[in-house]
Amino acid sequence: MTTTAKLRGGVLLRGVGKSYGTGDATVHALRDVDLDVEPGELAVVLGPSGSGKTTLLNVIGGIEAADHGRIRVAGRELTGQAPGSLSGFRRRHVGFVFQFFNLIATLTARENIEVVAELTGRGDRGRASELLAAVGLADRADAFPAQLSGGEQQRVALARALVTDPDLLLADEPTGSLDMATGRTILRLLQDTNREGLGVLMVTHNAAVAAMAHRVVTMRDGRVQSVVRQEAPVDAERVNW
Ligand code: ADP
Ligand code: MG
């Protein structure tokens, strides 16, 4: 972390719960979750499948509303916000990266980024070129997703997530469908982004990735089982799996 960067994207959760379904079919995806992530931290969320990791990211990012509890992200109180203002929050303050990239197949790399800049009214369109260069894809701007490798598609997705200049980047299994070498280039970009001051919260079921985190959050059965703060996170290049 550089000392000059403005640290952004802190997260505070208190007693957050989220269930799906009703009656006997009720699933408690999050049970009374308390969590603190400091601005500027790279946090890694570990836990088995079904432990609530994606739900945690979605309530922090305002994709879903929690049933109860308090949520504060990047200095904004999300608790009790109407769906409309929740989506305003999401557009202005968070960026998302997903396991399967979720690019629009009929748009080029550049257009996938520009369309988000336009829809959100955040970031000028010219910024797409700058961001594509930053992820090493300046020469692939006019390629469609199907013409790009998985790693290249994820780099476009990362550039798209950054076009709104968010405070917090939420990444759900961003290396989950990539081989190790390609995954590591994505981890490097996420770490670079974090070192510019953005908060990063990354879900993975790959425990080795935790080595690069300032904070490691382990979930089990909808609860935060442990939180470990690490003073000396390793460089992305040193993560092996
Ligand atoms: P993880 O990301 O750790 O695999 P999830 O947050 O996706 O876990 O899911 C936590 C629990 O909530 C699981 O039991 C899952 O089946 C359930 N769940 C998640 N999303 C939904 C949904 N939209 N409808 C019903 N159940 C869901
Ligand atoms: Mg998940």
Side-chain angles (χ1 to χ4, degrees), residues 20-21 27-29 47-56 64 172-173 203:
Y20 297 105
V27 176
H28 298 284
S49 183
S51 59
K53 304 181 301 295
T54 293
T55 307
L56 179 74
E64 292 185 282
D172 198 351
E173 309 266 8
V203 164

Side-chain angles (χ1 to χ4, degrees), residues 9-237:
V11 175
L12 179 147
L13 271 63
R14 290 291 178 270
V16 170
K18 174 77 182 174
S19 301
Y20 297 105
T22 53
D24 287 350
T26 303
V27 176
H28 298 284
L30 296 177
R31 308 170 190 253
D32 254 331
V33 169
D34 295 343
L35 181 67
D36 292 274
V37 177
E38 297 297 322
E41 281 189 347
L42 192 163
V44 163
V45 182
L46 299 173
S49 183
S51 59
K53 304 181 301 295
T54 293
T55 307
L56 179 74
L57 242 56
N58 288 348
V59 300
I60 290 172
I63 284 187
E64 292 185 282
D67 297 337
H68 58 83
R70 177 173 173 219
I71 304 178
R72 194 175 168 81
V73 177
R76 270 97 188 158
E77 207 70 46
L78 268 60
T79 320
Q81 283 199 28
S85 63
L86 213 50
S87 64
F89 158 82
R90 191 173 63 236
R91 286 196 293 265
R92 277 190 295 279
H93 300 291
V94 295
F96 276 91
V97 175
F98 305 96
Q99 179 176 357
F100 298 110
F101 330 128
N102 297 10
L103 298 175
I104 299 171
T106 54
L107 300 181
T108 64
R110 180 199 305 283
E111 289 165 349
N112 264 278
I113 300 167
E114 285 175 346
V115 76
V116 171
E118 268 169 44
L119 280 174
T120 60
R122 303 268 300 176
D124 58 284
R125 292 171 92 247
R127 206 154 170 255
S129 301
E130 199 182 304
L131 284 164
L132 281 167
V135 298
L137 288 178
D139 56 341
R140 305 293 277 139
D142 298 319
F144 289 92
Q147 299 169 319
L148 298 170
S149 69
E152 288 171 336
Q153 289 184 63
Q154 194 62 304
R155 285 191 270 158
V156 174
L158 179 60
R160 175 183 61 180
L162 295 175
V163 76
T164 60
D165 191 23
D167 295 309
L168 178 67
L169 188 68
L170 299 169
D172 198 351
E173 309 266 8
T175 63
S177 52
L178 304 175
D179 62 71
M180 187 165 82
T182 309
R184 217 187 268 119
T185 66
I186 298 299
L187 295 180
R188 153 70 27 232
L189 289 167
L190 290 170
Q191 194 165 49
D192 288 347
T193 300
N194 171 250
R195 285 174 177 170
E196 285 168 16
L198 255 80
V200 175
L201 194 58
M202 173 175 22
V203 164
T204 174
H205 53 236
N206 177 1
V209 173
M212 62 185 275
H214 298 111
R215 195 176 294 261
V216 183
V217 179
T218 304
M219 297 205 56
R220 188 167 295 269
D221 198 22
R223 300 179 199 277
V224 170
Q225 189 178 45
S226 66
V227 178
V228 176
R229 166 97 189 138
Q230 304 192 127
E231 291 307 324
V234 307
D235 286 344
E237 287 71 21

